[in-house]
Amino acid sequence: PRGLFDKFRMAADAARSDDVVAGVCETTEQLAFKRVVVECDDDQQYDIWNQISEDIDTPQRMREIWREIFTINQCYPAILWTRKTYKVRGKASGGRKAKKEFKDVVVPRGITLLDPCKVVPLGDMMFGNEKLVYLASPSESEAFDEVIAGANTSDLVVTQLILKKYQPTMKEKQLIQDLTGVSISNTYLLDPDKVWRITSTRPDYQRFADVRM
């Protein structure tokens, strides 16, 4: 297909259902993630890091990111932050039960991947100045607008990940239409501190990495 998002869909379908592509994808994933560990010189901090890693299931999140990169050569991780208190497990020096606590630690509450066909990088690609914009469906837009207006402050996904509604320029509207095949009127600016993009090798003059699948 000519359209980039259509290429994303075709590559994802191949990774799921094509015997050769799916086999290569699964085999190389197992080779890439034989072992995932946290390294830290301090035993107590080492235990805390492992608890954080267990909470967000770091190996699984890394596999998901790796598979997305393998398939379409780009992905959009998003993170929600929270504060937690962690207590050191196991024994302290002298054989006594560890009692030390690390209080009010800012940690990821969770990490997820956004649908690559719902996010478009806009603005200046040079020197990392791109803006990530979310393309919302009508039903999503209605819910987002309620949260932004303050009618619903319990939706952490919207309150933490979205900065504001975004008004694209005419050129940007045309780009979005070229990518999606339809006119999208509900676009939202994502918080760059909580949503970012990872790509395979991509020069700044290219908006997207090549889909090599």
Side-chain angles (χ1 to χ4, degrees):
R2 292 185 178 181
L4 185 74
F5 282 4
D6 290 330
K7 291 179 181 179
F8 285 179
R9 295 184 185 99
M10 185 176 186
D13 182 63
R16 281 191 301 266
S17 58
D18 181 87
D19 289 346
V20 175
V21 177
V24 172
C25 184
E26 290 168 8
T27 302
T28 51
E29 180 181 323
Q30 295 305 319
L31 291 171
F33 294 100
K34 278 187 174 180
R35 186 165 176 253
V36 179
V37 297
V38 175
E39 293 186 353
C40 182
D41 292 334
D42 184 292
D43 288 342
Q44 291 186 333
Q45 289 188 26
Y46 172 77
D47 179 64
I48 300 304
W49 279 112
N50 273 297
Q51 290 186 54
I52 295 170
S53 180
E54 290 165 11
D55 284 349
I56 61 176
D57 197 356
T58 302
Q60 179 62 24
R61 301 291 82 78
M62 291 179 69
R63 283 173 177 267
E64 290 166 1
I65 291 170
W66 184 91
R67 184 169 283 243
E68 197 91 333
I69 293 291
F70 179 92
T71 306
I72 64 170
N73 298 343
Q74 42 237 309
C75 68
Y76 301 91
I79 189 167
L80 293 181
W81 293 96
T82 190
R83 292 179 179 272
K84 292 183 72 172
T85 295
Y86 286 93
K87 186 174 181 180
V88 176
R89 300 172 296 190
K91 302 289 185 180
S93 56
R96 298 186 306 273
K97 186 177 180 180
K99 295 183 179 180
K100 185 172 182 180
E101 288 186 341
F102 289 78
K103 296 183 178 180
D104 210 25
V105 183
V106 178
V107 294
R109 177 182 174 179
I111 299 173
T112 191
L113 292 181
L114 300 184
D115 182 345
C117 293
K118 302 280 282 187
V119 182
V120 176
L122 297 176
D124 183 9
M125 300 290 108
M126 304 296 288
F127 304 107
N129 291 326
E130 67 186 27
K131 297 174 288 192
L132 297 180
V133 172
Y134 187 83
L135 312 178
S137 67
S139 58
E140 285 177 322
S141 178
E142 186 177 343
F144 291 176
D145 290 343
E146 282 185 7
V147 177
I148 292 171
N152 175 14
T153 58
S154 63
D155 191 329
L156 292 178
V157 173
V158 178
T159 56
Q160 288 205 32
L161 301 186
I162 292 177
L163 292 178
K164 62 181 181 179
K165 200 158 189 174
Y166 182 77
Q167 297 299 330
T169 65
M170 290 300 296
K171 187 175 180 180
E172 289 171 342
K173 286 181 180 178
Q174 185 59 54
L175 170 66
I176 292 170
Q177 185 163 346
D178 290 344
L179 288 169
T180 62
V182 295
S183 178
I184 304 284
S185 57
N186 301 309
T187 54
Y188 295 84
L189 185 63
L190 294 167
D191 188 336
D193 292 329
K194 294 167 184 171
V195 183
W196 65 100
R197 179 164 69 139
I198 303 171
T199 71
S200 300
T201 304
R202 175 190 64 84
D204 281 344
Y205 61 79
Q206 248 180 262
R207 192 172 300 275
F208 296 93
D210 294 327
V211 183
R212 293 194 296 269
M213 178 71 74

